Amino acid sequence: MTITPILPSAEEEIWRYSRIGDLNLDQFSLDAARTETIGADAWRTAKSLAGIAMQKPADVFAELNAQHGEEITIAIPRGKSVDQVIEIVHTIDKDGVVAYPRLVIDAGEDAEVTVVERFVSANGIHSLVVPVLEVRAAKAARVNYVAINELGINTWKIGHQQSVGYRDSTVRLNTIALGGDYARVRAEARLVEQGASAQQLALYFASGTQMHDFRTLQIHQAPRTYSDLLFKGAVGGTARSVYTGLIKIEKNAAHAEAFQTNRNLTLGDGAWAESVPNLEIETNEVKCSHASTVGSIDEEQRFYLESRGVPPEIAERLIVFGFFNDVLDRLPRGLDTNPLRDAVAQKLDAEGVR
Amino acid sequence: MSTLEIKGLRAAVGDKEILKGIDLTINSGEVHAIMGPNGAGKSTLSAIIMGKPGYRVLGGSVTLDGVDMLSLHTWERAVAGLHLVMQYPTEVPGVHVDEVLREALKARKRDISGLTATISSEASRINFDAELVSRALNVDLSGGEKKRNETLQLGVLEPKIAILDELDSGLDIDALRDCARRVEAATHENNLGVLAITHYVRLLEELKPDVIHILSAGRIVKSGSPELADILERDGYAAFV
């Protein structure tokens, strides 16, 4: 017998503005996603490493994932740089199912790896995917992770990314969200030893009636740690997006540097975006900044391009494309970003930004 | 041979009348400098000529070779042959100068096949680092680099008349010399006409003006030969305002 878990409600701050109230887990039956991996075989281990970054499940979805999750574990040994980008593709091809993929990346001392995880479904698939990512970067390790949401417009996603960085390590958590009905990612980067650094980057573009929802945490628990976050998104049609982010600098994190920028572009009168940045600083001698904007295409930018002789509709498209390219240009090298640029172009066409 | 003719131009920002009747005629190959104290209306003049949102024409006319500019959209004025070098060039993240120039040339129905080569030769003429050319427009550029970037665009687009809005602000000596010399060269090579708005005489040491106009409280209060700049340098604006 299974017990239906108690879901959170939008009353809770971390679920504020979310569509959690619309979710009924009983309508989904448990089923694994169809998962393919490319370039992963040499580094996969059968032994579960769950818990290396997420000591305890952060919410009921992480808990459900821990119970039902199909884990893919990638362990890169000490000193090894993996040249080939590892790709993992989860396809949800059944209607009315819930899948709990779990990816654990463990990079040993001075190891380096880039992993792309794609979530795919067709339009008309009313299903739910609840992925969890755990990343541990040991001393001086470099981990690049890219999540790409290519879900159809009826599929829900409630995801969780958790990384932990040890001395002088670098973790980059990147998310590209173009698909899904309601698609949420909670991304948490924890820096636990001196000199650790984390970069979080996201591009999101919700159109039609889609909603993208991001909750980020940059947690500094050691001196001279560095974090930088850039999330840029657009909403068109009657789409919605939410970004809430917290930089937390704990007591022993002197000389930490933390930056957080969230920019939102509203492309239609019916579109809505919310941005809530937060700082919590418990020590002196830190360098922190946060910036957030929500608005339509910048008049000054438009005037600048038009004053060169660029017609208005082309200027607009250049600016919106530039807004996204600014993120795509920062993705890890070795990743083919052309399909992403094409997908963004298609969505812009659909929005009438030509 | 082209002529930009400004007649009785009056303009407001919000409800405040800033330009109170400007008359100016600039022909190809000529360099006109407009000098004046802060608040005289210098930047409003450049904004109004180019059609910047937020500025309102109250009266008068601006024509390029007899064509009314004030009834055209900004981009059409640029295509017609006007070019504005901005005092504070706007940052446009993720948009690169070559993309903008390609679209700008296409709108002018000009050949774009040699664009890459033109950009690099223009860049080297003004000592603009090729690596900086590939950056997003004005993002993470210093003041001098931004003005080099503006000057590069002017070199590629070959306008009939250029309006330089305080080209010299935020510029180091080297960048000032490179940019001013490039514009001066265009007045000979392409017969470019120039309206140079400036605060300081130093720009005019490289960019040789034919006429100097003094703008004060929205009116041109004095026009004269380049020696006027020397008087300004010595005595300031006090004698004219």
Side-chain angles (χ1 to χ4, degrees), chain A residues 145-160:
Chain A
Y145 168 80
V146 186
I148 305 177
N149 162 0
E150 301 168 54
L151 295 166
I153 56 166
N154 305 107
T155 306
W156 274 46
K157 180 187 179 196
I158 297 177
H160 203 133

Side-chain angles (χ1 to χ4, degrees), chain A residues 141-267:
Chain A
R142 283 96 51 206
V143 178
N144 293 320
Y145 168 80
V146 186
I148 305 177
N149 162 0
E150 301 168 54
L151 295 166
I153 56 166
N154 305 107
T155 306
W156 274 46
K157 180 187 179 196
I158 297 177
H160 203 133
Q161 302 169 358
Q162 171 78 61
S163 73
V164 57
Y166 291 85
R167 192 178 175 114
D168 300 330
S169 64
T170 302
V171 173
R172 294 169 66 190
L173 299 177
N174 308 277
T175 299
I176 308 293
L178 299 173
D181 178 1
Y182 170 74
R184 173 186 169 102
V185 176
R186 176 180 163 144
E188 188 171 336
R190 218 151 46 85
L191 303 164
V192 299
E193 284 185 1
Q194 180 167 329
S197 107
Q199 292 171 50
Q200 285 168 274
L201 187 73
L203 178 165
Y204 48 101
F205 187 176
S207 52
T209 56
Q210 289 181 302
M211 179 169 185
H212 289 145
D213 178 339
F214 291 96
R215 315 285 159 152
T216 69
L217 282 151
Q218 295 156 263
I219 304 175
H220 293 251
Q221 298 178 323
R224 299 188 192 280
T225 42
Y226 174 93
S227 72
D228 189 12
L229 177 147
L230 176 66
F231 274 44
K232 292 180 82 171
V235 277
T238 56
R240 297 160 72 87
S241 73
V242 174
Y243 169 83
T244 74
L246 175 66
I247 291 175
K248 192 172 179 197
I249 313 255
E250 297 188 358
K251 276 200 185 65
N252 57 342
H255 306 291
E257 291 185 25
F259 308 99
Q260 185 192 76
T261 305
N262 174 229
R263 307 244 176 252
N264 296 281
L265 195 54
T266 48
L267 296 174

